[in-house]
Amino acid sequence: MKTLVIGGTGLVGSQVARELLQRNADVAVLTRSAEKAKALPPGVGAVIGDLLRVDTVRSIFKGVEGVFLLNPASQTEAQEGLMAVTGARNAGVRRIVYQSIHDVDRAAFLPNFGPKVAIEGGVKASGIPYTIVRPNNFFQVDPWFKDAMVQMGIYPQPLGSVGLSRVDIRDIAEVAAIALTTGGHEGQTYNVVGPDVLTGPGTAEAWGKALGREIRYAGEDMDAWEKQSLQYLPDWMVFDFRHMYEFFQKQGLVATREDLDRLTKVLGHPPRRFQDFVRQTAETWTRTPSGVTA
């Protein structure tokens, strides 16, 4: 099965490409960058293009049977997603898996959530057999905060104290690959979630235990968080993420027992636990080149 992975150079998309390779799919990744194309795993093809260009959308889906569609947060996210859906529809793509966000309808007013509601609607209306995966916040975001934790003893992601059912990207990629390569998932929407409800303080505590030192939760002073984040992120993204985190702080993003049972059935195993991810990741951070824990 020839499959095009859109968003395949990021955290989740690259893992999806690897999962598809393990299932003997013929995999290509769409990228705007020829440099990123050089870094793709062996066996993964590269397609250079831009979803905002008509010539790209008219050409990249030729001969493609399956599509994994992930549009990163941007000011043109909805346009890019709907251009892709229309191009796939015109080319006769036989299956599409779209990555949205867990419980996206609850916060459709958010700039990071609203475009996904629109793209989900486009996917459903396209006539292409589809599966929608709706993941929670990723475990794999946390290594971005390695320096803050290791050097300053602070966990900075302002998740709040209500809790999120955070998820391992390997589970997201497995669900996507299963839906693309096996039957029985057409028309389904899967909440891809973790088994534990994780808060900001609880996440900091888990990292502290794994690293053998105190890790403090930075708290929820969102004015301070915004000021700090503007040093390395564009203002539109900081505005978006600030309101997303404030939503998490007030309402959380927690899975149901039904979500977990359904996900376990699709995966064929329970979703991965945060504590295991933290332990395994911390071990890689605390080993010297000789393999001895520092």
Side-chain angles (χ1 to χ4, degrees):
M1 180 176 180
K2 185 174 181 179
T3 305
L4 179 65
V5 177
I6 296 175
T9 59
L11 277 177
V12 179
S14 59
Q15 187 68 33
V16 170
R18 286 190 285 270
E19 283 289 338
L20 287 167
L21 278 179
Q22 291 177 16
R23 289 165 169 79
N24 298 316
D26 179 2
V27 185
V29 165
L30 175 68
T31 177
R32 294 186 181 95
S33 167
E35 285 303 309
K36 286 186 177 180
K38 295 176 184 177
L40 292 172
V44 176
V47 178
I48 309 298
D50 185 335
L51 289 175
L52 294 176
R53 293 181 57 91
V54 172
D55 57 347
T56 293
V57 173
R58 282 181 166 158
S59 64
I60 60 173
F61 298 104
K62 290 179 180 177
V64 170
E65 298 169 272
V67 171
F68 175 75
L69 176 61
L70 189 168
N71 302 106
S74 74
Q75 293 174 295
T76 58
E77 179 179 352
Q79 178 71 2
E80 291 182 44
L82 294 172
M83 288 281 279
V85 171
T86 300
R89 183 176 185 272
N90 289 344
V93 166
R94 293 165 49 192
R95 190 174 296 185
I96 186 167
V97 172
Y98 172 61
Q99 179 175 308
S100 182
I101 290 180
H102 182 207
D103 280 355
V104 67
D105 308 287
R106 287 176 52 204
F109 58 89
L110 291 172
N112 188 30
F113 283 45
K116 294 171 177 64
V117 175
I119 299 168
E120 280 193 11
V123 168
K124 291 176 181 178
S126 70
I128 304 170
Y130 71 86
T131 306
I132 294 171
V133 294
R134 287 179 163 187
N136 206 286
N137 182 274
F138 312 150
F139 297 171
Q140 280 80 359
V141 169
D142 285 4
W144 296 346
F145 312 127
K146 175 185 176 182
D147 289 347
M149 290 191 282
V150 171
Q151 297 176 18
M152 295 178 285
I154 293 173
Y155 180 78
Q157 188 175 198
L159 297 175
S161 297
V162 179
L164 291 82
S165 298
R166 302 183 69 197
V167 67
D168 195 303
I169 63 169
R170 290 171 293 182
D171 289 338
I172 305 169
E174 277 191 52
V175 173
I178 288 166
L180 281 164
T181 59
T182 64
H185 305 284
E186 295 81 3
Q188 300 298 311
T189 297
Y190 296 123
N191 291 327
V192 189
V193 292
D196 305 302
V197 178
L198 301 167
T199 65
T203 298
E205 182 181 359
W207 279 109
K209 287 180 180 177
L211 292 168
R213 60 164 298 173
E214 182 185 10
I215 303 293
R216 294 183 294 108
Y217 177 48
E220 292 146 31
D221 181 341
M222 296 309 292
D223 288 338
W225 179 88
E226 181 171 344
K227 182 178 180 180
Q228 176 70 22
S229 299
L230 283 170
Q231 296 179 32
Y232 55 90
L233 292 174
D235 60 355
W236 64 266
M237 184 175 285
V238 173
F239 177 86
D240 179 359
F241 288 179
R242 172 176 180 158
H243 288 82
M244 178 187 72
Y245 284 127
E246 288 175 342
F247 174 78
F248 291 163
Q249 291 163 12
K250 292 174 183 176
Q251 299 195 38
L253 200 65
V254 178
T256 66
R257 183 71 254 171
E258 180 184 359
D259 291 335
L260 290 165
D261 290 345
R262 195 160 181 250
L263 177 60
T264 299
K265 184 176 180 181
V266 173
L267 287 170
H269 62 79
R272 292 170 172 88
R273 301 186 70 94
F274 183 65
Q275 290 82 355
D276 295 332
F277 167 77
V278 168
R279 176 179 50 78
Q280 293 160 4
T281 304
E283 287 175 357
T284 69
W285 292 353
T286 57
R287 290 189 181 278
T288 65
S290 64
V292 179
T293 301

